[in-house]
Amino acid sequence: MAKIKRIFIANRGEIAVRIIRTCRELGIETVLGVSEANRDTLGAQLATRVVCLGPAAATQSYLKVGTVIEAAMGTGCDAIHPGYGFLSENKDLAEACAETDLIFIGPSPDNLTAVGDKLTARTHDEKAGVPLTPGGSVDTEAEALKLAEAVGFPLLIKAVSGGGGRGMKRVNSAAELPAQLNLAISEAAAAFGDGRVYLERFVTVGRHVEVQILSDGETVLHTGERDCSVQRRYQKVVEEAPAPGLPDTLRQGLLDAAVTYARHISYRSLGTVEFLVDVERQEFYFLEMNARIQVEHPVTEAITGLDLIALQIAIAEGKPLGMRQNDITLHGHAIECRLNAEDIQSDFMPSPGRIKQAWFPSLTGVRVDTHMQPGAMISPFYDSMIAKLITWGPTRADAIARMQAVLNLHTLDGVTTNAPLHSAIMADETFQQGGVDTTYLTGVLPRLTEDKT
Amino acid sequence: MSGLTRSDIDDILKLIDSSDFDELKLEMGELKLELRRRGSSPAPAPSAPEAPAPKAAEPVAVAAPVLVSGGGSEVPAPLLGTFYHAPKPGDPPFVKVGDTVTKDTVIGIIEVMKLMNSVTAGADGVVTEILAPNGELVEHGQALIRIQPA
């Protein structure tokens, strides 16, 4: 067991500030690696020391493994916290840490390989006995028709070599299948030089529910689930915990499956197992595992009272978790709104600029994770998230009411933010009822944005 | 991006001259301008392409008088890493105070993960100061040495 004394933070923005906060509580020194564009940020002002990694472009600063390692060693750090994004799930960084006696605050290189790409992750998932989206590979029409019977319609034909939405065909009935299959095979062969395809159930009404995992390598615990179904173009916009209106058997199934999966790959650190909940069939399927702290971790902290960053550091030090599943109890409801510098009236165009005033009132049950302050520059080099508003309440309605209050009261002058979108969501009846699916936001966007014009 | 003309810079210099500030850092996108007043010297007439020709003969001697023109320029680290003054331990340093350098003269190496990157002076001149210590971490943009432009 190694007590960590000085942590190199290889990240920026609000998560750098968030990590510094816990380090201060634990009496750990921090060295923040910044790009030229981030020298004057709040994180840089709060860290014990700052070093400049390189130019503003992330590929020349935050994403350079060798530079990060060199900077961490040169400043006498004993550990690296990668935050989220950037190098957070980079196996090269984890391996380089191991070679240089730096502690990587995250899982082992082997764990990262296990969850690294979707196919490997799915193989582990199958072996662990955790449900996957029903489907399988097919070569002939007869095979396809037989499998389709088990999978059900609608289904997707996917190219094995496709990805990112390319090489997919939706099939609504058995009658359509033969023609679509032949088309898919010849298209896949032409587009990817690989005619192999597989069938997969198409989930028409799905919710994105994920389970937070804590593991010291021996004990694997969950800290409940989060619902992240309010998304736009696969980007999460609002998250909450617990998932509203999820039947108990389904919830327990998810939690158990996540723990089983983490245990199966001998996961050690903090991580998140993501699932797609098929609302019509009341089933759930494994999507992927994220081997890092997540943006939306504060909603879990709000309902459990845990400091997930502190636990992540403790696990990295080799400390046992020192608790059991029964020690983790959930209280009330928490919601997070991601405030982005973007203009919802202009197709969510990013709105970089300088913040003139930043003020978030300290209301009961409100937490704000941000690096904004008067004078802060929102540069065009990085993502547009500038603050996370997190509210807690004894009930979901209370948490929503508090979110509405902080959305109304806060000030962020100088840039355009998506706060009006969040206000509209919080005031929307469908959202207030709870349990919306992943198509919800796209469906209501026209209505939510037209009110303002 | 670089919307600054020579006359803009002259105007900025005049503004500083008439102010109490000794230093100005200006960043506009890609462009970065750093101006520093040395001592109480007046008129920092920008030393530009006018006086290159017969310098090489009298390197060390020039250093002192040229100071009046207000400038010493610092050679920044092009990347983060460990800075070494010499090719290997025990070797004489690439440059020392008083050496004349051209823009292609190697002034040191920066090691990143066992990869050696040589650093060149980037400008013609005379070395007036070695700023970054040998064998220590330098961050991106940190001043390594100071040279008096020729």
Side-chain angles (χ1 to χ4, degrees):
Chain A
M1 219 176 76
K3 175 89 184 82
I4 293 173
K5 296 188 190 69
R6 189 181 295 160
I7 289 178
F8 189 89
I9 301 171
N11 216 297
R12 55 175 300 282
E14 66 85 19
I15 195 65
V17 176
R18 166 71 189 87
I19 296 164
I20 291 170
R21 187 258 277 177
T22 288
C23 288
R24 284 189 171 197
E25 285 179 32
L26 297 171
I28 296 172
E29 291 182 347
T30 49
V31 179
L32 183 62
V34 297
S35 76
E36 269 181 343
N38 286 156
R39 279 180 190 276
D40 297 323
T41 51
L42 182 60
Q45 289 160 12
L46 296 176
T48 318
R49 191 181 161 184
V50 177
V51 287
C52 183
L53 297 171
T59 48
Q60 294 179 65
S61 47
Y62 295 108
L63 289 171
K64 294 198 98 159
V65 172
T67 302
V68 166
I69 292 280
E70 199 74 34
M73 289 195 305
T75 50
C77 291
D78 36 31
I80 294 182
H81 198 304
Y84 52 69
F86 294 134
L87 297 174
S88 59
E89 292 173 276
N90 185 293
K91 197 181 152 204
D92 292 343
L93 180 67
E95 275 172 350
C97 281
E99 283 163 18
T100 47
D101 288 332
L102 284 163
I103 295 171
F104 179 72
I105 303 178
S108 67
D110 284 349
N111 286 165
L112 287 172
T113 307
V115 303
D117 73 89
K118 285 196 180 179
L119 272 181
T120 321
R122 279 179 74 102
T123 314
H124 284 294
D125 186 77
E126 237 166 357
K127 285 188 191 142
V130 172
L132 279 166
T133 322
S137 60
V138 288
D139 292 321
T140 65
E141 222 176 275
E143 266 178 45
L145 282 166
K146 195 165 166 237
L147 184 64
E149 222 171 281
V151 169
F153 291 94
L155 56 77
L156 289 174
I157 307 175
K158 289 185 172 182
V160 170
S161 299
R166 300 201 318 142
M168 288 204 302
K169 289 208 173 302
R170 182 177 163 164
V171 183
N172 293 312
S173 67
E176 287 177 22
L177 186 61
Q180 290 289 339
L181 181 73
N182 289 329
L183 200 59
I185 291 174
S186 42
E187 276 184 15
F192 311 112
D194 176 3
R196 288 178 303 152
V197 295
Y198 62 101
L199 306 187
E200 198 176 271
R201 176 176 290 170
F202 180 78
V203 178
T204 354
V205 186
R207 288 172 66 180
H208 177 115
V209 182
E210 58 186 32
V211 179
Q212 177 72 56
I213 291 293
L214 293 176
S215 170
D216 61 12
E218 300 281 327
T219 308
V220 185
L221 307 176
H222 69 79
T223 58
E225 80 284 352
R226 294 185 286 258
D227 189 322
C228 314
S229 301
V230 181
Q231 302 184 354
R232 178 179 173 270
R233 296 189 182 165
Y234 302 105
Q235 296 296 309
K236 297 166 184 171
V237 176
V238 176
E239 301 100 337
E240 57 186 310
L246 205 63
D248 280 344
T249 47
L250 205 53
R251 185 191 313 273
Q252 199 53 52
L254 280 168
L255 299 172
D256 292 344
V259 170
T260 305
Y261 183 79
R263 188 168 280 138
H264 177 76
I265 62 166
S266 305
Y267 193 79
R268 178 176 162 269
S269 186
L270 176 153
T272 299
V273 186
E274 296 190 336
F275 296 97
L276 180 64
V277 172
D278 186 332
V279 175
E280 289 170 334
R281 294 184 177 86
Q282 293 290 297
E283 289 175 21
F284 63 86
Y285 320 118
F286 171 89
L287 286 177
E288 62 178 329
M289 180 164 190
N290 295 321
R292 57 163 195 272
I293 187 78
Q294 285 194 268
V295 173
E296 59 272 24
H297 77 275
V299 292
T300 298
E301 294 186 327
I303 62 163
T304 58
L306 298 169
D307 180 338
L308 293 177
I309 300 277
L311 286 164
Q312 193 185 21
I313 293 171
I315 294 168
E317 286 179 323
K319 280 187 196 145
L321 280 170
M323 50 182 166
R324 283 167 304 188
Q325 193 60 59
N326 288 342
D327 296 325
I328 299 170
T329 46
L330 312 182
H331 299 283
H333 197 94
I335 298 180
E336 173 180 279
C337 288
R338 298 189 186 193
L339 275 191
N340 297 335
E342 59 190 15
D343 186 354
I344 62 168
Q345 300 298 346
S346 310
D347 197 28
F348 292 80
M349 181 123 59
S351 150
R354 193 172 290 283
I355 295 288
K356 292 196 199 82
Q357 184 55 268
W359 179 69
F360 302 97
S362 306
L363 307 173
T364 303
V366 172
R367 163 177 169 184
V368 181
D369 278 21
T370 186
H371 54 301
M372 289 301 106
Q373 55 181 344
M377 186 70 197
I378 298 160
S379 66
F381 300 106
Y382 315 103
D383 71 67
S384 61
M385 194 179 74
I386 54 176
K388 303 186 310 203
L389 307 179
I390 304 108
T391 59
W392 178 91
T395 67
R396 185 168 183 269
D398 296 327
I400 292 175
R402 284 174 174 172
M403 188 62 82
Q404 288 176 310
V406 70
L407 282 166
N408 284 335
L409 294 172
H410 84 287
T411 293
L412 264 175
D413 284 341
V415 297
T416 307
T417 77
N418 62 350
L421 174 66
H422 286 297
S423 296
I425 295 170
M426 292 302 131
D428 182 56
E429 224 171 277
T430 313
F431 178 78
Q432 288 180 353
Q433 282 164 13
V436 298
D437 68 87
T438 50
T439 62
Y440 161 75
L441 189 53
T442 320
V444 297
L445 261 183
R447 181 162 57 82
L448 297 187
T449 49
E450 78 191 0
D451 296 348
K452 294 277 167 186
T453 44
Chain B
M1 279 309 254
S2 57
L4 274 190
T5 63
R6 176 64 180 274
S7 74
D8 287 338
I9 295 176
D10 285 345
D11 285 345
I12 293 170
L13 286 172
K14 274 183 210 134
L15 278 173
I16 298 179
D17 264 358
S18 57
S19 77
D20 297 332
F21 297 110
D22 290 329
E23 200 177 321
L24 171 95
K25 285 190 190 174
L26 180 67
E27 283 189 42
M28 296 172 62
E30 294 286 295
L31 180 100
K32 203 194 263 183
L33 180 69
E34 287 198 27
L35 301 170
R36 199 168 292 119
R37 195 203 302 261
R38 178 72 63 79
S40 59
S41 60
S47 60
E50 285 157 299
K55 271 277 134 78
E58 28 160 354
V60 188
V62 225
V66 185
L67 266 179
V68 195
S69 79
S73 71
E74 290 163 350
V75 179
L79 74 173
L80 178 147
T82 309
F83 183 57
Y84 292 105
H85 291 178
K88 54 177 192 282
D91 279 10
F94 289 103
V95 289
K96 48 188 191 305
V97 172
D99 284 1
T100 301
V101 294
T102 68
K103 65 181 176 53
D104 296 324
T105 305
V106 173
I107 61 133
I109 45 180
I110 292 180
E111 180 194 346
V112 188
M113 301 296 284
K114 303 191 172 63
L115 282 176
M116 303 299 172
N117 307 272
S118 45
V119 183
T120 51
D124 300 351
V126 173
V127 178
T128 57
E129 198 177 351
I130 308 288
L131 297 163
N134 183 49
E136 287 189 19
L137 179 82
V138 290
E139 57 184 293
H140 172 83
Q142 183 177 335
L144 300 175
I145 67 167
R146 187 171 280 139
I147 60 174
Q148 184 63 51

